[in-house]
């Protein structure tokens, strides 16, 4: 029976190491190797770069400060991501940035497949915060979406922080918006719903102010009396309420084009979130 690791240490932006059966074991990126003083042979460095160029993330394993193995890991792109980004761009999102701690080859490959404008690879959490802050200082309104611990500081820094429903607790607690469906196309729904809410508020404001102006004008011209005024006012209140209730059944038709099956409102699905967390997830 294997023993649990002892003296586990997380190396910020690099990896993790600990003692296993009397051996010092470390797993992480190139940054980890340089941090603990392990040299990477030229031929293995070439092999690792070849794996990165085809879209893999390379992870190095060391035992007692000696390179013991190279692991090649590939994440699958969410099938709805490309269509969702295209739809968001059509709806008014001007620029897309990929802020990732992954290597530049894998990041660029993913960005090319998704049509992302700017790629910033091999970033630490503070680097993501710096880039988000620079975009805000340049006058841009920034929305940051992520699901990991490393994304949480940037999510908190952005104008609108968005977390995936199956993400880490710290990213969820930091975010302003949580996509409970854990699908990227739900961001399209959230964006469209936000726009529809603002339009609805403007409509209701116009109805309310217009009714007041109409009643005041009628009173000054002695054309509106108390009973009539009260009736018109109550009708306007009812119209405002009914207009706001329409948002409960709001549905963006572009979501149906992205995902043909019925898409439920991502707001208030705490039960789904608990079920997702109760289901064991395969390790990457």
């Amino acid at each position: 029976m294997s023993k649990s690791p002892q003296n586990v240490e997380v190396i910020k932006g690099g990896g993790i190491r600990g003692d296993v059966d009397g051996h010092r074991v470390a797993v992480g990126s190139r940054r980890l190797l340089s941090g603990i003083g392990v040299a990477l042979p030229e031929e293995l460095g070439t092999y690792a770069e070849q794996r990165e160029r085809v879209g893999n993330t390379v992870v190095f394993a060391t035992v007692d400060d000696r390179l013991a193995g190279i692991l090649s890991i590939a994440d699958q792109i969410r099938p709805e991501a490309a269509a969702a980004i295209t739809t968001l761009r059509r709806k008014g999102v001007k620029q897309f940035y990929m802020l990732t701690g992954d290597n530049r080859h894998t990041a660029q490959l993913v960005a090319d497949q998704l049509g992302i404008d700017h790629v910033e690879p091999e970033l630490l959490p503070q680097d993501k915060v710096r880039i988000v802050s620079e975009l805000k200082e340049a006058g841009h309104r920034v929305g940051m979406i992520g699901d990991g611990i490393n994304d949480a500081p940037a999510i908190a820094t952005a104008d609108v922080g968005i977390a995936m429903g199956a993400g880490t607790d710290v990213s969820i607690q930091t975010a302003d918006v949580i996509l409970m469906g854990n699908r990227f196309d739900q961001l399209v729904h959230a964006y469209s719903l936000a726009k529809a809410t603002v339009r609805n508020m403007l409509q209701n404001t116009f109805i309310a102010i217009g009714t007041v102006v109409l009643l005041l004008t009628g009173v000054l011209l002695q054309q509106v009396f108390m009973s009539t005024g009260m009736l018109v006012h109550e009708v306007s209140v009812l119209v405002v309420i009914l207009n706001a209730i329409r948002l409960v059944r709001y549905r963006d038709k572009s979501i149906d084009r992205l995902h043909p099956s019925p898409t439920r409102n991502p707001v208030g699905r705490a039960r789904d979130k608990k079920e997702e967390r109760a289901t064991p997830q395969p390790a990457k």
Side-chain angles (χ1 to χ4, degrees):
M1 182 176 180
S2 61
K3 298 180 180 179
S4 300
Q6 303 295 323
N7 302 320
V8 176
E9 175 188 4
V10 176
I11 302 175
K12 189 175 182 180
I16 189 171
R17 63 180 174 180
D19 298 328
V20 180
D21 291 335
H23 298 281
R24 190 63 168 167
V25 179
V27 180
S29 64
R30 277 188 175 87
R31 191 179 287 115
L32 170 72
L33 296 183
S34 60
I36 62 179
V38 176
L40 179 63
E42 183 177 351
E43 63 273 15
L44 294 181
T46 301
Y47 169 78
E49 185 172 347
Q50 290 173 348
R51 302 307 302 161
E52 290 175 346
R53 289 185 181 277
V54 295
N56 294 285
T57 299
V58 175
V59 179
F60 301 91
T62 68
V63 177
D64 296 329
D65 294 336
R66 295 181 59 184
L67 185 63
I70 298 178
L71 307 177
S72 182
I73 304 172
D75 288 331
Q76 290 186 343
I77 297 176
R78 292 176 180 269
E80 75 280 2
I85 289 175
T86 300
T87 303
L88 287 170
R89 194 185 300 277
R90 187 170 62 248
K91 288 180 175 293
V93 179
K94 295 182 174 61
Q95 297 287 325
F96 287 89
Y97 285 72
M98 176 188 287
L99 309 182
T100 177
D102 217 333
N103 66 83
R104 65 182 184 278
H105 301 297
T106 300
Q108 189 62 57
L109 184 64
V110 172
D112 291 340
Q113 293 181 27
L114 296 180
I116 293 176
D117 305 292
H118 307 280
V119 183
E120 298 289 347
E122 302 177 3
L123 298 179
L124 295 174
Q126 59 266 31
D127 297 323
K128 297 181 181 182
V129 172
R130 172 181 54 79
I131 293 173
V132 171
S133 298
E134 290 174 352
L135 290 173
K136 291 177 63 177
E137 291 172 359
H140 300 291
R141 286 178 292 180
V142 182
M144 173 70 187
I145 180 170
D147 61 358
I149 295 175
N150 292 341
D151 297 322
I155 290 175
T157 305
D159 293 307
V160 180
I162 307 168
M164 304 299 288
T168 59
D169 289 339
V170 65
S171 64
I172 291 175
Q173 292 170 2
T174 305
D176 303 301
V177 178
I178 303 172
L179 303 181
M180 300 301 296
N182 200 41
R183 290 180 56 87
F184 196 77
D185 54 7
Q186 293 292 342
L187 183 58
V188 179
H189 179 90
Y191 184 85
S192 300
L193 180 59
K195 291 284 188 180
T197 301
V198 172
R199 288 196 302 269
N200 192 280
M201 291 172 59
L202 292 175
Q203 292 167 1
N204 288 343
T205 300
F206 177 80
I207 293 171
I209 295 178
T211 301
V212 171
V213 172
L214 178 64
L215 291 176
L216 286 176
T217 303
V219 170
L220 293 175
L221 296 177
Q222 297 184 353
Q223 298 297 317
V224 175
F225 301 97
M226 181 175 293
S227 58
T228 305
M230 291 181 62
L231 176 62
V232 173
H233 179 269
E234 296 306 318
V235 169
S236 70
V237 171
L238 181 61
V239 169
V240 167
I241 293 173
L242 293 175
N243 189 44
I245 290 176
R246 290 191 305 116
L247 291 174
V248 175
R249 301 183 61 83
Y250 176 80
R251 187 182 187 86
D252 187 356
K253 294 181 179 179
S254 62
I255 292 290
D256 297 329
R257 293 193 293 270
L258 290 173
H259 186 49
S261 61
T263 302
R264 291 174 294 173
N265 194 315
V267 179
R269 292 168 58 185
R271 181 178 179 182
D272 292 347
K273 177 181 174 183
K274 292 179 181 177
E275 291 174 353
E276 289 175 6
R277 291 192 174 183
T279 304
Q281 299 294 323
K284 293 184 179 180

